Amino acid sequence: MDELTERQKLILSLVVRDYIETAQPVGSKNLIERCKLKMSSATIRNEMAALTEAGYLRQPHTSAGRVPTEEGYRYFVTHFVYQTDLPDATRNTISHQFYQARQDVEQWMHLAASILAHQSRAASLITAPHTERARYKHLELISTQGRQVLMVLVLVGGEVSQQILTLAEPVSQEQLSNAANRLNEVCQSRTTEELASLNPSGDALEKDILTLVLQDMNRGEQRASGEIYLDGLTNVLSEPEFIESDDARRAIRLFEERTLLQDLLARTMVNSHVGGVQVLIGGEGEWQELRQCSVVLARYGIPGAATGALGVFGPMRMSYARTIPTVRFMADLLSGLVSETMVGDES
Amino acid sequence: MDELTERQKLILSLVVRDYIETAQPVGSKNLIERCKLKMSSATIRNEMAALTEAGYLRQPHTSAGRVPTEEGYRYFVTHFVYQTDLPDATRNTISHQFYQARQDVEQWMHLAASILAHQSRAASLITAPHTERARYKHLELISTQGRQVLMVLVLVGGEVSQQILTLAEPVSQEQLSNAANRLNEVCQSRTTEELASLNPSGDALEKDILTLVLQDMNRGEQRASGEIYLDGLTNVLSEPEFIESDDARRAIRLFEERTLLQDLLARTMVNSHVGGVQVLIGGEGEWQELRQCSVVLARYGIPGAATGALGVFGPMRMSYARTIPTVRFMADLLSGLVSETMVGDES
DNA sequence: TTTTAGCACTCGCACGCTTGGAGTGCTAAA
DNA sequence: TTTAGCACTCCAAGCGTGCGAGTGCTAAAA
């Protein structure tokens, strides 16, 4: 039970691959002719019996073929596909696409989600890079008609947030610019706590603005992650195990409601180093709603500065061999982009 | 055939309502007891035969109940629900939610999508307000580490776009600010064309920046709409006609790919005045992929300045009585918000 | 003239039965 | 240790049947 023979490993991997491809329980005879194995079906049956005994395979009912268990997928992933890398050609194609779209972060996110979904033929999710500890970088106040003011706040790391304020009374653009400039000098590179303990000597306007800035930074810190981008939901909708199953729909609901994502990403943030790909198979007992599903997740970015997470969500039967290398590569790629274009700390 | 009798109208509306609720073909006997009508089933049968003759109902097969045709839905919508308004209580609840979330536009979009989806029990879509003719309002250049510069461009109407530039050589924050200030003076309130024909006398840096600003404004104008927000896909996924139908899935794919949306919104932009709700039933022959679906759309905002579109997507069987008033009300509400918080033109 | 009761007819659907085939485990021979 | 053979299991697909909801038509009632 501890260790499988080479032949058992081979058979396990073939069964998993076959099942992933066909979504049908795989039988001994069928496997032989599909894979042109040089053994008889009886031999396969014996080995399959052993693998079933060991907990890697299971039979939906007597006289049906074998289906991988969660442990079976797990073994498959750790022993066969985890190490593999994306082919150079694919890497190049993807890099090229990003090179063309390096203008803005939002486009990266859409592109990354789209590539992940397409490569893995499943649903993808990705959060924009986000700084856990917000640090003030630059503030801009733009007067608009009447008492409305557009406030643009830039954080170290490059996050930009904007909101529209309504002041008690009209203020000229010049006054606004002066206030912003003074705040920019005082607040440069400071964290939320530092700004909160700061006692501004300035006028009422500056104090008000500072309060709003703090609110904004706090709101950002509360959120565990930035905006979440999704793609490829339809891929997973057309999978056979999803067309009628009820808990499949429930999983998709979670997916849409994004609470699941928050949890999963939080977990990934804690458990993994940047670049390490996590594979969550069938909910692993923790997530009831994910019983039939798997999630492949990775973190990207610069720890301590801006980080984000990305992943793929699909049926347990998803193609790990394509998904895992893709997720790893995309995480590396995005980490590179983040460090390249990060709005730095000049202090 | 031209005009229906009052009783026929009544029966048509009851049939449509019943079918919308139950998703089952509705028969004469059943209708009587459900609605406690004071006629016999035979009378209903006669009237139903007339309505079928007139093209408003149809039978899936002999000896099944009646189902509304597209014309049936259309008649129902125009004669029975189009005029209705949302109950005051609901209006107040919704307004209240928006009042709490008036800080930023993005939050509005999410909130609006969520409310639409929830009220209509279907999928909702909404685009951020977008100006067809971009007019320069304000530019900000923020130096970051090395040669990277964060460029924030604000348009009249309040759209904000940001991108990261890489300059040929490092430039100080002061130089950047000066360049931005000069451009802000020259470009104030100008359209893309005016800026393009402008021959800047300034230095190379300013010229380069101006080129990028123009690119950015052009990109914005190319896009027919802003970012698209979706919500409530799961509502429509669990509808009975969607659980296995193939063209239902195709419709959802369109929905996700967002090309459909571009087309639909473009159509809405052309055909409708702000505030008018458009109802597209079963694709109306034009959209093959929407055969089983309906879309309720409206435009919101200030024509000539910032406008956007919002709508609900669902099965033909969707609850028009809830959806149409909600869409209309949300369009009005958002129009109000847009005009309230619009970044104005000071020229 | 309009409405209604009655009736014969239609036809999808759920139910039960049968059958075929893919798959299994076991045993005995190679 | 592997393989051929065999008896056994059991799902899935096909088929017939009866039920019931629904219809249109006709003739009587209002």
Side-chain angles (χ1 to χ4, degrees), chain B residues 90-310:
Chain B
T90 317
R91 300 167 78 100
N92 288 338
T93 316
I94 294 176
S95 302
H96 188 68
Q97 287 179 273
F98 270 90
Y99 185 79
Q100 294 185 316
R102 72 200 141 119
Q103 298 91 2
D104 75 54
V105 178
E106 199 170 304
Q107 234 180 310
W108 293 353
M109 295 298 113
H110 284 299
L111 187 54
S114 154
I115 289 172
L116 273 176
H118 186 256
Q119 288 286 324
S120 64
R121 276 87 153 161
S124 65
L125 51 117
I126 175 168
T127 70
H130 177 72
T131 322
E132 299 100 83
R133 308 209 57 68
R135 300 238 307 281
Y136 183 106
K137 167 80 188 174
H138 190 94
L139 175 71
E140 203 59 42
L141 296 172
I142 300 161
S143 159
T144 75
Q145 61 195 3
R147 316 195 314 272
Q148 311 277 358
V149 172
L150 179 66
M151 166 177 133
V152 178
L153 175 66
V154 184
L155 302 181
V156 172
E159 273 177 277
V160 179
S161 72
Q162 35 176 306
Q163 63 176 298
I164 291 165
L165 323 174
T166 306
L167 302 177
E169 50 194 40
V171 176
S172 77
Q173 175 67 57
E174 205 179 337
Q175 282 175 284
L176 288 173
S177 298
N178 287 337
N181 285 339
R182 276 194 299 273
L183 283 170
N184 281 335
E185 272 173 36
V186 178
C187 302
Q188 187 62 248
S189 295
R190 295 203 191 279
T191 64
T192 318
E193 285 84 5
E194 289 168 356
L195 289 181
S197 63
L198 206 68
N199 215 335
S201 53
D203 59 13
L205 176 63
E206 276 173 54
K207 275 187 189 162
D208 287 352
I209 299 286
L210 185 57
T211 312
L212 289 164
V213 166
L214 270 169
Q215 270 179 20
D216 205 74
M217 288 169 75
N218 254 320
R219 249 210 313 278
E221 285 180 348
Q222 293 318 314
R223 276 198 319 246
S225 63
E227 178 76 5
I228 298 176
Y229 297 80
L230 302 179
D231 200 355
L233 251 186
T234 46
N235 289 339
V236 55
L237 282 180
S238 44
E239 291 294 337
E241 53 263 72
F242 274 71
I243 60 170
E244 206 163 351
S245 152
D246 201 37
D247 46 53
R249 238 193 308 289
R250 222 175 309 145
I252 293 187
R253 158 153 291 136
L254 268 192
F255 198 53
E256 199 185 28
E257 279 175 6
R258 298 170 188 213
T259 53
L260 160 75
L261 300 187
Q262 300 291 353
D263 287 357
L264 280 179
L265 298 180
R267 170 200 156 116
T268 314
M269 288 304 183
V270 173
N271 285 13
S272 78
H273 59 290
V274 167
V277 176
Q278 289 216 333
V279 184
L280 185 74
I281 293 170
E284 312 264 356
E286 296 178 63
W287 278 276
Q288 273 300 318
E289 302 83 349
L290 290 180
R291 241 175 314 160
Q292 307 284 14
C293 311
S294 284
V295 184
V296 177
L297 278 175
R299 197 178 170 190
Y300 73 90
I302 316 285
T307 62
L310 59 93

Side-chain angles (χ1 to χ4, degrees), chain A residues 7 39-40 42-43 45-46 61-63:
Chain A
R7 193 169 64 186
M39 316 162 225
S40 83
T43 311
R45 277 204 290 284
N46 287 332
H61 20 257
T62 347
S63 98

Side-chain angles (χ1 to χ4, degrees), chain A residues 269-319:
Chain A
M269 289 304 183
V270 173
N271 284 14
S272 78
H273 58 289
V274 167
V277 175
Q278 290 214 333
V279 184
L280 185 73
I281 294 170
E284 313 263 355
E286 297 177 63
W287 279 274
Q288 273 299 318
E289 301 85 350
L290 290 179
R291 240 176 316 159
Q292 307 284 13
C293 312
S294 284
V295 183
V296 178
L297 279 175
R299 198 179 170 189
Y300 73 88
I302 316 285
T307 62
L310 59 93
V312 168
F313 163 94
M316 251 205 292
R317 235 188 70 247
M318 83 162 81
S319 170

Side-chain angles (χ1 to χ4, degrees), chain A residues 10-19 26-37 41 44 48:
Chain A
L10 174 69
I11 290 173
L12 176 56
S13 91
L14 290 176
V15 169
V16 174
R17 274 183 225 277
D18 200 66
Y19 184 67
V26 11
S28 51
K29 214 164 180 176
N30 223 312
L31 190 68
I32 295 237
E33 60 184 40
R34 271 189 158 265
C35 307
K36 300 185 174 52
L37 291 179
S41 62
I44 305 282
M48 276 182 166

